[in-house]
Amino acid sequence: MNNQEIKEHYSDADLAEFKAIILEKIEKAQAQLEVYQSAYTNDSNNGTDDTSPTFKAFDEGSETMSKEANSQLAIRQEKFIRDLKNALIRIENKTYGICRVTGKLIKKERLRLVPHATLSIEAKNMQK
């Protein structure tokens, strides 16, 4: 192994802490995803049969918009869950928390807030 292959990385205890944070976030994110999915796949009538046709047309329009919005939220949530699961893989590989641009450790504070982060603040600011 040459020196380039040896990278600074987080300890097993740190990785275990991040893993617990990520698993909790995945659980919450999957529960939220189910809410979004049930909202946009729900075809039940909202009881507008006895109201005026005009109101029903507005209601159906807002229902369509709501389904589209929930669909978009579900797509974003699925990506978030995928990013979190990829972070778990990096934990197993012991590459978690290493900035993919600078190769330096991402600060713990950032990882606690954004546990799927792959860029340090320094690298993120370089992208602007």
Side-chain angles (χ1 to χ4, degrees), residues 4-125:
Q4 280 187 321
E5 290 178 30
I6 300 170
K7 291 183 179 175
E8 187 180 0
H9 61 83
Y10 280 109
S11 70
D12 289 348
D14 287 331
L15 292 176
E17 176 193 340
F18 291 125
K19 185 175 184 175
I21 291 169
I22 291 168
L23 289 172
E24 184 180 337
K25 284 198 179 278
I26 288 173
E27 193 176 316
K28 287 179 182 175
Q30 285 178 324
Q32 189 63 51
L33 176 60
E34 288 173 22
V35 170
Y36 295 146
Q37 288 174 331
S38 68
Y40 76 77
T41 58
N42 182 6
D43 292 328
S44 67
N45 189 339
N46 289 334
T48 56
D49 289 339
D50 59 350
T51 59
S52 74
T54 306
F55 179 77
K56 187 169 183 180
F58 283 125
D59 189 51
E60 287 172 352
S62 69
E63 187 178 313
T64 301
M65 283 187 63
S66 178
K67 283 185 180 184
E68 287 175 14
N70 281 317
S71 176
Q72 289 301 312
L73 288 170
I75 290 166
R76 286 184 62 200
Q77 199 71 357
E78 286 170 342
K79 182 187 181 313
F80 179 54
I81 292 167
R82 189 172 59 245
D83 289 346
L84 289 169
K85 287 182 176 179
N86 287 337
L88 287 178
I89 293 168
R90 291 192 301 279
I91 286 174
E92 295 305 316
N93 295 338
K94 301 207 189 290
T95 59
Y96 179 80
I98 299 169
C99 176
R100 62 184 161 87
V101 172
T102 66
K104 297 176 185 172
L105 284 183
I106 299 170
K107 291 188 169 148
K108 286 183 183 182
E109 297 78 25
R110 173 162 168 71
L111 291 171
R112 285 186 185 113
L113 292 172
V114 187
H116 57 290
T118 59
L119 294 174
S120 63
I121 293 294
E122 177 187 350
K124 193 132 178 84
N125 288 338

